[in-house]
Amino acid sequence: MGTIRVNNIKVFTNHGCLDEEAKIGSEYRVDIEVKANLLKSAKTDILKHTVDYVHLNKIAKEEMAIRSKLLEHVAQRIINRIFKEISMVKKATVSVAKINPPIGGNVGEVEIILSKKRKS
């Protein structure tokens, strides 16, 4: 088993419950961690034998472009697509952070983290 991380995917989009969040948008950061058997790719040096991090980045950006009221919702969509599209992933953890959230205080970011294991 091995781990692949794609960290600090930066996206500007419009998630949130407030009407003004839909209009003005915010900056977000997405981090993805997947667990998979990487022994074959370590031996063969062939891309199709691993989890392509370009694919993970594409999933994150596409799902972040679809408006959600809650960060949990968009993170779950990212996880669902990872499991649907990349069969070798055994576990995925996705964090989505809203940078400088409009919550009436000096807060750098709010972050949610979801994890899921593939059922055998």
Side-chain angles (χ1 to χ4, degrees):
M1 193 65 73
T3 303
I4 293 177
R5 291 188 184 121
V6 182
N7 294 325
N8 206 21
I9 302 167
K10 295 179 181 179
V11 180
F12 188 90
T13 190
N14 58 352
H15 301 298
C17 294
L18 304 175
D19 289 338
E20 58 251 25
E21 290 176 299
K23 294 174 186 168
I24 64 173
S26 297
E27 290 185 46
Y28 295 83
R29 186 192 77 245
V30 178
D31 298 317
I32 299 173
E33 178 180 290
V34 296
K35 304 261 186 201
N37 184 341
L38 303 179
L39 293 176
K40 187 172 184 179
S41 61
K43 291 178 184 176
T44 66
D45 197 27
I46 296 173
L47 180 60
K48 71 179 182 179
H49 294 159
T50 193
V51 177
D52 186 353
Y53 50 80
V54 173
H55 192 173
L56 294 172
N57 184 57
K58 178 179 182 271
I59 290 170
K61 287 186 171 186
E62 288 176 356
E63 292 303 321
M64 288 297 290
I66 302 167
R67 180 167 159 69
S68 290
K69 291 179 185 174
L70 300 177
L71 300 181
E72 295 91 323
H73 188 255
V74 70
Q76 187 62 58
R77 287 199 324 262
I78 293 168
I79 288 174
N80 291 346
R81 277 202 49 201
I82 290 169
F83 280 106
K84 181 180 177 184
E85 297 178 18
I86 309 171
S87 63
M88 70 181 299
V89 170
K90 302 299 180 205
K91 181 180 179 187
T93 300
V94 173
S95 68
V96 179
K98 182 182 282 193
I99 312 303
N100 297 316
I103 60 174
N106 187 8
V107 177
E109 67 181 34
V110 294
E111 178 180 27
I112 64 91
I113 302 168
L114 294 180
S115 294
K116 182 178 178 181
K117 288 183 182 180
R118 187 179 296 276
K119 295 178 183 173
S120 301

